[in-house]
Amino acid sequence: MLKEIGCHYVIIGHSERRQFFGETDATVNRRIRAALGQGLKVIFCIGETLKEREEGRTFSVIEKQVERD
């Protein structure tokens, strides 16, 4: 549907989607694969929560988000 209305890019993995809709690294991965399979360009959002940052876990959180399943 997005391509039909002229979209070329999609934003996937945004923190609000993760926080309020329970998206996980696995569901984000599936969405990315589906979007790429349809020829869309993906803007992949990564990042940590404030709590994770304060605990010094920024890099481990980001690494987990981008590692291949």
Side-chain angles (χ1 to χ4, degrees):
M1 290 184 345
L2 293 173
K3 285 180 71 174
E4 290 175 9
I5 62 170
C7 288
H8 299 283
Y9 295 86
V10 291
I11 299 173
I12 300 176
H14 200 275
S15 61
E16 278 83 6
R17 299 270 324 163
R18 292 174 185 263
Q19 180 181 359
F20 298 120
F21 297 100
E23 288 192 3
T24 64
D25 295 338
T27 60
V28 168
N29 184 300
R30 285 194 298 273
R31 287 176 181 267
I32 289 171
R33 290 173 187 264
L36 292 173
Q38 293 299 313
L40 294 165
K41 295 178 177 114
V42 173
I43 300 167
F44 176 31
C45 298
I46 60 171
E48 79 285 14
T49 64
L50 177 59
K51 181 180 181 212
E52 290 165 336
R53 181 182 306 164
E54 289 172 342
E55 292 171 350
R57 298 189 307 129
T58 297
F59 293 109
S60 63
V61 169
I62 291 172
E63 183 177 18
K64 184 177 178 295
Q65 289 175 351
V66 300
E67 73 183 11
R68 184 179 180 127
D69 282 341

